[in-house]
Amino acid sequence: MRKYRRRLAAVVVLAATVTLLGLLLAKASTSTGNASAVRTAHAALLEREQGEEAGGADAEAYADRAYPGTEVTFDEIQGAIAASNAVAARGPKLTSRWDFIGPSTLDVDRLGTQSFIKPTQWSGRETALTIDPKSKPQECTLYVGAAGGGVWRTKNALAQNPAWKQISAAIPTNAIGSIAVDPNDPTGRTVYVGTGEANASGDSEAGLGLYKSTDDGTHWSRVAGSVAAANNRSIAWIAIEPGNANHILIGTRSGVHGIGSNATNVGTVATDSPAVGVYNSTDGGATFALTQAGSINEVKFDPSDSNVVYATLANSATGGLLRSTAGGAAGSWQTILQSNRSRFSFSPVKLPNGKTRIYLSDASSGSNGAQVYRVDDASQPAATLTATVAGVANAAWTRLSNPTAGTPGNAVYNYCNTPLVGSQCVYDMFTLSPADRPDMVVVGGLMHYEELKPYAAPGGIRSNGRSVLMSMDAGATWTDVTGDVGGESMHPDQHAIAFVPGIRISSSSAPTAVSSGRAASGQTRRASATHAGCRPRSSPIATDGSRRFRRSCA
């Protein structure tokens, strides 16, 4: 019997080997016969980040830690942190010196990039960029929030090789969603950090509330009222009223706990987590009140009137862009662009005539592509701004995007949605206009691989990938600033951008991008430029989903 089983096992192994060999040969034949398909598959793999097998090991580990309960509560988390600190304080003092072994910047071979042209460097996913509004070319402080790496700061963001310092060791989570510098602190040392990543990915970890530092990140304390408002949620945005440091608004979205980046199961989120929405505090964060329920990605004050606040509301029949003329108080919100999409990004900017212009981008939905809009007087009545005229909804808004190929607006049509991977608008999106240049606007989204040389069909090469697009004429025309003639290209996913006050070069020249301290051009048509060639105005600094920092003088 044992001899029979051994023969049967040998037959099974032999059959499996033959089958595997056939599959490998078939795959090799397909790869040889259709290089374009292989490159497209490579792009999809990069974009979806499915390099590991799916699984829920982290979710299982979370459930084990929570047992016999169903979740790890906030008090238990704080207790564990306190216990760990107590043990560390009593532990032996090491006399030997620690050697740094990581993390380190990832060097990426050219075949791991989107363009296949030249090697580059990537880091982790950044979710927030905030510039000290008092920055100047000689000393520019930039704060960076990472999806899973805490808060980092450099005081020389415009240098060729910025010096970085991790400053969030006292914050009990590395999942960061937003950062804001209090505009009312003349020293620029008061900083707020919203924990929990709000990009709605499988590993967008929920947070533990809002944290505050008054000494530039040396010490942190939890903002007391934020626990009830945002524990186990992700703080997507923080807005502090200029002229009133006690008035703070936060926008929250859902996050996850205990789920791997490639897991297919639903992450564990506490059943008693607070409702997501806009939370308003008028006492410096001692208490927060929910004034608008729903999934909120951005909350911003009007640049001319601090009584006016705007917020985006996603996944709602009454959603879109909301406006409050009472500082965000409950019952004061009105819809001024009505649309039911999964995400929006917007930028209010003051025009020379004193009116407020708003640029807004939305997510794709079904057969409706992602669009970009502009309105030049946001103070108009809500009914006027949302009115349907001749069958066109929100007719007071100018649509800057166009689905028709060859038109100027086609560059920003479906900027976060591609035929290759579908829509990622809920994950990567930004829209921003600098305060001193209202005709300039930058929109970021998703890489269009199908338009890049390694992947495009014959005649299909038509852009640098359209991951980052810039207009210098209020959205009438657009320039693709995703890559450059030397082959330096951004990672496909765009999450954040910030402008440095007081830096610019002529609009006919190229923005200069800096990735991990290396200079690279950021447009295809222009002379290269460096910081030394900049004149006073605004310079954008962006993160690509990956993965690295890029600076641009424009």
Side-chain angles (χ1 to χ4, degrees):
M1 180 64 71
R2 283 196 296 268
K3 184 176 181 181
Y4 171 76
R5 280 199 292 261
R6 284 197 299 270
R7 288 177 177 174
L8 179 59
V11 170
V12 171
V13 170
L14 179 60
T17 302
V18 170
T19 301
L20 177 60
L21 180 59
L23 290 173
L24 291 173
L25 289 174
K27 182 177 180 180
S29 175
T30 301
S31 300
T32 303
N34 193 349
S36 177
V38 173
R39 289 193 295 268
T40 300
H42 165 83
L45 182 63
L46 277 175
E47 182 56 41
R48 294 166 181 160
E49 298 181 345
Q50 293 177 338
E52 302 174 10
E53 293 182 359
D58 286 353
E60 182 179 357
Y62 177 88
D64 290 342
R65 291 193 299 273
Y67 184 82
T70 59
E71 62 197 49
V72 179
T73 66
F74 180 80
D75 289 340
E76 289 171 333
I77 293 172
Q78 296 301 309
I81 292 170
S84 175
N85 292 338
V87 170
R90 294 196 305 267
K93 304 299 182 182
L94 295 177
T95 58
S96 59
R97 176 178 168 274
W98 285 91
D99 293 323
F100 179 80
I101 60 173
S104 59
T105 302
L106 175 64
D107 293 318
V108 181
D109 182 81
R110 69 180 185 86
L111 295 179
T113 68
Q114 285 66 245
S115 61
F116 292 1
I117 296 175
K118 63 188 295 186
T120 187
Q121 291 181 314
W122 290 351
S123 63
R125 182 167 72 245
E126 292 85 46
T127 58
L129 288 176
T130 298
I131 295 284
D132 181 351
K134 300 170 182 62
S135 287
K136 50 188 178 295
Q138 297 79 12
E139 182 180 351
C140 181
T141 300
L142 168 65
Y143 301 91
V144 175
V151 180
W152 295 74
R153 183 194 67 206
T154 179
K155 289 186 174 293
N156 60 339
L158 299 179
Q160 183 72 12
N161 294 289
W164 293 96
K165 181 180 181 180
Q166 215 269 9
I167 61 171
S168 57
I171 298 177
T173 175
N174 277 333
I176 306 301
S178 51
I179 305 173
V181 177
D182 186 349
N184 304 290
D185 182 355
T187 69
R189 294 171 63 83
T190 300
V191 184
Y192 288 86
V193 169
T195 63
E197 185 193 3
N199 284 319
S201 67
D203 57 352
S204 292
E205 179 75 13
L208 300 173
L210 182 69
Y211 287 77
K212 178 182 180 180
S213 172
T214 57
D215 54 12
D216 203 19
T218 302
H219 302 89
W220 295 92
S221 61
R222 188 176 68 248
V223 177
S226 69
V227 176
N231 181 46
N232 279 321
R233 295 302 190 188
S234 297
I235 300 178
W237 209 270
I238 309 164
I240 305 155
E241 179 185 338
N244 184 2
N246 287 323
H247 189 194
I248 306 168
L249 292 107
I250 59 175
T252 65
R253 291 187 65 184
S254 298
V256 298
H257 277 317
I259 185 171
S261 60
N262 296 296
T264 56
N265 60 305
V266 177
T268 303
V269 178
T271 55
D272 60 347
S273 296
V276 296
V278 177
Y279 284 85
N280 190 12
S281 174
T282 57
D283 53 15
T287 60
F288 281 88
L290 177 65
T291 65
Q292 173 63 55
S295 182
I296 308 293
N297 264 97
E298 298 181 11
V299 183
K300 302 178 182 180
F301 283 94
D302 186 276
S304 300
D305 186 351
S306 59
N307 290 315
V308 178
V309 185
Y310 307 97
T312 60
L313 174 62
N315 300 317
S316 171
T318 58
L321 184 64
L322 310 185
R323 182 184 65 197
S324 166
T325 56
S332 67
W333 294 97
Q334 292 181 302
T335 303
I336 60 172
L337 182 142
Q338 188 166 356
S339 180
N340 188 356
R341 301 291 176 98
S342 61
R343 186 168 179 174
F344 303 87
S345 181
F346 75 103
S347 182
V349 62
K350 184 178 179 179
L351 294 173
N353 63 8
K355 296 184 182 298
T356 295
R357 168 184 288 170
I358 295 180
Y359 296 97
L360 179 140
S361 55
D362 64 12
S364 57
S365 177
S367 60
N368 298 311
Q371 309 272 6
V372 180
Y373 300 88
R374 190 194 80 221
V375 67
D376 290 335
D377 181 6
S379 68
Q380 298 177 71
T384 301
L385 291 170
T386 58
T388 297
V389 179
V392 178
N394 306 301
W397 292 75
T398 300
R399 191 177 72 174
L400 306 177
S401 48
N402 194 318
T404 303
T407 60
N410 189 240
V412 286
Y413 178 73
N414 256 350
Y415 65 95
C416 54
N417 186 349
T418 77
L420 179 62
V421 299
S423 177
Q424 283 196 183
C425 303
V426 71
Y427 174 64
D428 39 22
M429 174 190 296
F430 66 65
T431 300
L432 192 63
S433 176
D436 57 355
R437 300 180 74 187
D439 285 345
M440 177 183 180
V441 61
V442 184
V443 173
L446 176 65
M447 185 76 74
H448 283 251
Y449 287 102
E450 73 281 1
E451 298 174 8
L452 295 175
K453 184 176 181 179
Y455 318 103
I461 303 173
R462 58 189 294 262
S463 74
N464 285 338
R466 291 200 288 135
S467 187
V468 180
L469 298 130
M470 181 175 68
S471 174
M472 303 296 292
D473 53 13
T477 60
W478 298 85
T479 299
D480 185 349
V481 297
T482 308
D484 65 13
V485 292
E488 177 69 21
S489 180
M490 294 187 179
H491 185 276
D493 304 317
Q494 299 297 320
H495 296 291
I497 187 171
F499 280 94
V500 181
I503 304 295
R504 88 172 280 250
I505 60 174
S506 62
S507 59
S508 61
S509 298
T512 297
V514 170
S515 174
S516 300
R518 296 179 299 105
S521 57
Q523 276 183 306
T524 55
R525 52 173 188 84
R526 45 167 164 66
S528 64
T530 63
H531 170 57
C534 294
R535 298 179 315 198
R537 291 301 280 280
S538 294
S539 170
I541 295 181
T543 62
D544 33 34
S546 53
R547 312 279 186 198
R548 45 185 179 169
F549 309 111
R550 299 181 68 92
R551 187 187 73 218
S552 172
C553 296

